[in-house]
């Protein structure tokens, strides 16, 4: 559950009820402001989607709660010459169906990511200008025309999907769960657009196992309704805590606020001559 908290808290405030969480050893409910537009990890390059899908799918390079790069599906990486990066893949990783993760899945994912039909915001910016070569089942080389020091950061933005299950798959196949086979700490259970997403713990996960056996995300767009759901115990945690309720929630002994400074800055600039 720490992984989920870290990702959610990165860009905004999170409020949760510690007592309720402590009592629920198996399941947790989370209220979200933003709707998740798809379970296809290559369909829509949108922060709410990316944060959500990071529990099902993984990238070669991961980012922690402060966006520091760390090993993901690749246990190590290095530049082997001025224009070539080498990524060594983990050997103990399996897809949710039990089949092994290999370099073929990496090459397939980078080929698909920029070419998803109907994508409103493509991941092509992270795959463009990169040529991937399979050295062996657990080694991939990525070559560029010129030196490219931001390679690990770009690679961290593209989720790896199963070539076996996603070959020929459309976005609808991910939304239905048919192609939503990842390597992450949670498995797909249910996706109802605009309503909820349900995930089940992946007990065969290669990394640290999640504390929660089942997580349900509820879409609650209205700020007052989201806060009311938290205080009533209908959900255990919410994101995007309204500024108007912040002071009141901080005084409530049953609620804890988690805050992290965002790396996104939005400001208004008046026209001047």
């Amino acid at each position: 559950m720490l992984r989920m908290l870290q990702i959610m808290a990165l860009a905004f405030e999170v409020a949760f009820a510690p007592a309720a969480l402590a009592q629920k050893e198996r399941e947790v409910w989370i209220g979200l402001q933003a709707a998740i537009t798809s379970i296809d990890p290559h369909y829509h390059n949108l922060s709410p989607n990316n944060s959500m899908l990071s529990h099902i799918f993984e990238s070669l390079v991961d980012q922690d709660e402060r966006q520091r790069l760390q090993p993901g599906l690749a246990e190590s990486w290095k530049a082997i010459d001025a224009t070539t990066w080498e990524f060594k893949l983990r050997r103990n990783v399996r897809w949710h169906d039990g089949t092994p993760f290999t370099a073929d899945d990496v090459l397939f994912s980078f080929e698909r990511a920029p070419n998803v039909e109907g994508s409103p915001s493509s991941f092509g910016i992270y795959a463009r200008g990169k040529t991937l070569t399979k050295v062996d089942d657990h080694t991939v080389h990525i070559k560029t025309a010129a030196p490219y020091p931001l390679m690990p950061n770009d690679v961290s933005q593209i989720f790896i999907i199963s070539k076996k299950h996603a070959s020929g798959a459309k976005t609808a196949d991910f939304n239905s769960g048919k192609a939503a086979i990842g390597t992450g700490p949670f498995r797909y259970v249910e996706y109802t657009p605009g309503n909820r997403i349900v995930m089940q713990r992946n007990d065969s996960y290669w990394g640290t196992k999640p504390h929660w056996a089942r997580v349900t995300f509820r879409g609650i767009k209205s700020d007052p309704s989201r806060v009311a759901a938290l205080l009533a115990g209908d959900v255990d945690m919410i994101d995007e805590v309204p500024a108007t309720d912040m002071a009141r929630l901080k005084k409530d002994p049953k609620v804890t606020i988690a805050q992290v400074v965002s790396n996104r800055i939005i400001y208004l600039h008046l026209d001047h001559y």
Side-chain angles (χ1 to χ4, degrees):
M1 190 57 209
L2 178 59
R3 176 187 178 95
M4 195 169 299
L5 276 171
Q6 290 171 342
I7 294 174
M8 291 177 64
L10 183 61
F12 38 70
E13 297 81 10
V14 177
F16 58 98
L21 290 175
Q23 294 171 4
K24 294 189 175 183
E25 297 180 357
R26 303 289 297 174
E27 184 172 4
V28 64
W29 288 68
I30 301 174
L32 302 178
Q33 182 198 55
I36 307 303
T37 60
S38 177
I39 300 298
D40 184 341
H42 300 154
Y43 173 71
H44 196 176
N45 186 12
L46 187 70
S47 292
N49 283 28
N50 298 340
S51 294
M52 175 69 66
L53 297 179
S54 67
H55 307 307
I56 299 175
F57 304 95
E58 298 179 289
S59 54
L60 295 183
V61 178
D62 199 2
Q63 295 188 18
D64 68 10
E65 70 278 10
R66 296 186 181 276
Q67 295 184 299
R68 293 169 295 199
L69 299 180
Q70 57 186 16
L73 290 177
E75 59 185 8
S76 66
W77 56 90
K78 64 181 180 180
I80 59 175
D81 62 42
T83 59
T84 307
W85 285 80
E86 181 178 86
F87 290 82
K88 289 289 187 180
L89 310 183
R90 294 187 185 275
R91 295 176 178 270
N92 61 337
V93 177
R94 291 187 175 274
W95 296 99
H96 291 162
D97 71 337
T99 57
F101 156 70
T102 71
D104 292 327
D105 300 308
V106 177
L107 268 62
F108 170 75
S109 300
F110 272 77
E111 179 180 356
R112 180 184 186 272
N115 300 301
V116 176
E117 182 180 353
S119 171
S121 179
S122 173
F123 284 84
I125 186 174
Y126 305 118
R128 188 177 303 125
K130 300 174 178 64
T131 301
L132 277 70
T133 303
K134 173 184 174 181
V135 178
D136 57 45
D137 278 349
H138 297 95
T139 308
V140 172
H141 284 178
I142 305 181
K143 193 171 185 62
T144 52
Y148 192 68
L150 294 180
M151 182 67 75
N153 186 75
D154 278 13
V155 167
S156 74
Q157 305 298 320
I158 294 183
F159 287 118
I160 306 303
I161 59 176
S162 167
K163 181 179 180 180
K164 173 184 175 181
H165 292 281
S167 292
K170 302 295 185 181
T171 295
D173 295 315
F174 284 89
N175 293 341
S176 69
K178 178 182 178 181
I181 307 297
T183 59
F186 286 93
R187 301 169 182 263
Y188 171 103
V189 174
E190 177 188 345
Y191 169 56
T192 305
N195 186 347
R196 67 178 185 170
I197 297 173
V198 183
M199 300 180 188
Q200 190 77 22
R201 181 172 58 207
N202 174 19
D203 289 322
S204 299
Y205 183 52
W206 61 267
T208 303
K209 307 299 187 297
H211 177 72
W212 303 102
R214 191 177 180 91
V215 181
T216 298
F217 296 88
R218 282 183 52 195
I220 309 177
K221 186 176 181 180
S222 165
D223 287 345
S225 297
R226 201 164 58 259
V227 172
L230 175 72
L231 297 178
D234 295 333
V235 296
D236 304 302
M237 184 187 309
I238 63 171
D239 70 353
E240 296 287 0
V241 180
T244 53
D245 293 297
M246 186 68 71
R248 175 168 65 96
L249 290 175
K250 284 183 176 180
K251 294 178 182 178
D252 191 326
K254 297 182 296 183
V255 176
T256 296
I257 303 291
Q259 295 173 284
V260 175
V261 177
S262 171
N263 67 353
R264 184 182 186 189
I265 299 175
I266 301 177
Y267 64 94
L268 298 176
H269 184 272
L270 301 179
D271 290 340
H272 65 282
Y273 298 95

